[in-house]
Amino acid sequence: SEALQAMDLSWVSGEVPHTHWVYCAKTRYRQPDAPCEVESVDAEQCTVKFAEPQWAVTPGQSVVLYESKVCLGGGIIV
């Protein structure tokens, strides 16, 4: 998948991340960090676009966003 949408968001700092900023994301626990950007985000959902297509992006699984080694939070893939 080149992009995903997530709901049930939870942000560690309590603030949503900036859009169009380079982050990394994981959609699987042992998956390497995948460069991405947050295309859009609000209180209900966010859209994450990956630099390269990702394998096995599955609804019901979690997506977790990182800025460097700092966990920003994430949500459930829809």
Side-chain angles (χ1 to χ4, degrees):
S1 297
E2 295 180 2
L4 64 80
Q5 285 192 319
M7 296 185 76
D8 297 327
L9 305 173
S10 177
W11 305 112
V12 175
S13 71
E15 296 183 23
V16 299
H18 300 286
T19 57
H20 305 293
W21 191 260
V22 178
Y23 298 107
C24 288
K26 287 187 181 193
T27 57
R28 301 272 178 190
Y29 174 71
R30 295 185 186 265
Q31 177 185 36
D33 292 353
C36 67
E37 68 178 53
V38 176
E39 291 250 311
S40 64
V41 62
D42 60 32
E44 300 293 321
Q45 67 179 5
C46 73
T47 302
V48 176
K49 184 176 179 183
F50 295 100
E52 295 183 14
Q54 297 298 298
W55 175 79
V57 174
T58 307
Q61 296 279 59
S62 294
V63 59
V64 180
L65 291 170
Y66 298 88
E67 185 171 20
S68 187
K69 295 188 182 273
V70 177
C71 178
L72 300 176
I76 306 299
I77 300 168
V78 293

